[in-house]
Amino acid sequence: MDLSIIIISYNSKQFIQKCINSLLASEPHLALETIIIDNASQDGSPDFVKINFPRVRLIANIINLGYAKACNQGIKEAKGKYLFILNPDTELSGGSLEAMVEFMDEYPRCGVLGPKLLNEGGKTEFSCRAFPSYSAAFFNRYSLLTRMFPRNKYADRYLKTNWSHDTIKEVDWVSGAAMVIKKECLEQIGNFDEGFFMYCEDIDICRRAKNNGWQVFYYPYLEFTHIIGGSIRYTSPIAIIWHNHSMWHYYKKHLRVNILWDSLIFAIILMRTIFLSCLGPIINFLVP
């Protein structure tokens, strides 16, 4: 098996048909399989998949196990040399899966690869980034400071906005919305850390890959259109809580200094969670 496509679905009925059809329409000449892990959707997604895509393997969880744990469910079932972790709110819009696999075959130390992501307007998303520093908490893609000062040096450094996204480049990490992982890499570093319910698991797995001598590449010759937050809006209170929880888990795992500094960081993340949870409805109103 060349490629296992693992789609993690949560209330994604309105997106998943386009996602799967775009993959089928590309007619890849690969030995591949498609596995969908449904995290207790309430919109009829599992039945929709069973009826419309009988050849797709479906695992329907009765409770929402979280993104990382659902990924691991798919990984355990997958038989491919490469595992393509894919959001259902994505649609293949350019390039070929064969060329991507050929690239990874040519670079045996390529453990993780991220294709080019476009937003609904066709503009490039900054889906490959530097590992987060302390400034990334204030100048990330969704922060008000980045929206107010989009070309500040901290955001440029983190989001990698100051170079062309039309060439292959080795990077720190790539977005988990569309991430290809070599199975051999996972066998060495381990699967997704289930301490991340959702968010930051992609940063963690890329960091562990690089720490163990694997390379992470941004690959723009395969393109996916991505409806950001198709399943859950990033500014909803639950998303904000889980995002900040994952930030704290990532900090504990990779960035700890001492008890005083750690306590300060925890307090900042807690205040940030409360502030953004209260501000979320306002952001939803101001930012369509």
Side-chain angles (χ1 to χ4, degrees):
M1 187 73 69
D2 297 311
L3 185 67
S4 297
I5 299 172
I6 302 170
I7 301 173
I8 311 303
S9 177
Y10 176 71
N11 291 335
S12 304
K13 181 179 176 181
Q14 60 177 316
F15 306 109
I16 205 162
Q17 183 171 19
K18 286 186 176 181
C19 177
I20 297 175
N21 283 339
S22 72
L23 296 167
L24 296 176
S26 69
E27 299 181 344
H29 300 292
L30 296 169
L32 61 80
E33 62 181 348
T34 302
I35 302 168
I36 293 178
I37 310 296
D38 187 272
N39 257 338
S41 294
Q42 303 297 312
D43 65 348
S45 296
D47 290 337
F48 180 83
V49 170
K50 287 179 185 176
I51 293 170
N52 292 278
F53 301 102
R55 296 181 63 183
V56 169
R57 183 167 185 185
L58 173 70
I59 298 175
N61 294 322
I62 59 174
I63 60 172
N64 187 344
L65 298 177
Y67 189 81
K69 193 164 188 174
C71 285
N72 288 341
Q73 282 184 288
I75 290 167
K76 289 175 183 176
E77 299 295 327
K79 300 178 178 64
K81 178 181 180 181
Y82 299 109
L83 311 178
F84 198 161
I85 309 297
L86 191 63
N87 277 15
D89 54 2
T90 59
E91 184 177 348
L92 179 59
S93 52
S96 73
L97 295 171
E98 293 95 330
M100 176 198 71
V101 168
E102 288 173 5
F103 173 84
M104 295 189 77
D105 284 341
E106 290 173 7
Y107 289 83
R109 295 308 296 174
C110 175
V112 184
L113 176 146
K116 187 175 190 177
L117 295 182
L118 307 173
N119 64 24
E120 292 178 272
K123 292 184 178 180
T124 301
E125 288 184 11
F126 299 116
S127 57
C128 55
R129 301 168 206 166
F131 286 129
S133 61
Y134 297 112
S135 63
F138 303 98
F139 294 96
N140 58 72
R141 181 170 58 172
Y142 306 108
S143 73
L144 289 177
L145 288 174
T146 301
R147 294 175 188 275
M148 294 169 62
F149 308 103
R151 299 303 303 180
N152 70 81
K153 65 179 181 179
Y154 304 105
D156 282 348
R157 184 185 306 136
Y158 175 60
L159 297 174
K160 298 292 186 185
T161 57
N162 53 359
W163 57 272
S164 170
H165 281 62
D166 296 324
T167 56
I168 297 171
K169 189 175 180 69
E170 186 174 357
V171 297
D172 282 350
W173 68 281
V174 293
S175 170
M179 170 189 283
V180 187
I181 311 173
K182 193 171 188 176
K183 195 165 193 178
E184 182 186 346
C185 174
L186 285 178
E187 289 170 350
Q188 179 183 351
I189 70 172
N191 291 347
F192 283 87
D193 180 349
E194 295 178 9
F196 299 100
F197 185 84
M198 55 190 296
Y199 305 120
C200 299
E201 67 286 317
D202 44 9
I203 315 174
D204 172 71
I205 208 157
C206 288
R207 188 160 197 148
R208 287 190 282 128
K210 291 182 78 74
N211 286 347
N212 284 275
W214 294 92
Q215 293 174 288
V216 177
F217 280 97
Y218 169 74
Y219 183 80
Y221 303 121
L222 183 67
E223 296 182 354
F224 280 80
T225 299
H226 180 212
I227 304 171
I228 302 176
S231 296
I232 182 169
R233 191 171 175 87
Y234 285 101
T235 50
S236 69
I238 188 63
I240 290 167
I241 291 169
W242 280 119
H243 194 181
N244 284 278
H245 176 274
S246 292
M247 287 173 59
W248 173 240
H249 185 63
Y250 181 87
Y251 174 84
K252 287 192 299 178
K253 189 171 183 179
H254 297 291
L255 301 173
R256 293 189 85 147
V257 180
N258 55 57
I259 190 169
L260 291 177
W261 185 253
D262 296 347
S263 299
L264 175 62
I265 295 299
F266 176 80
I268 291 173
I269 291 176
L270 179 61
M271 288 187 292
R272 184 177 184 271
T273 303
I274 296 170
F275 176 73
L276 291 178
S277 297
C278 296
L279 199 62
I282 299 173
I283 298 174
N284 283 339
F285 177 76
L286 296 176
V287 182

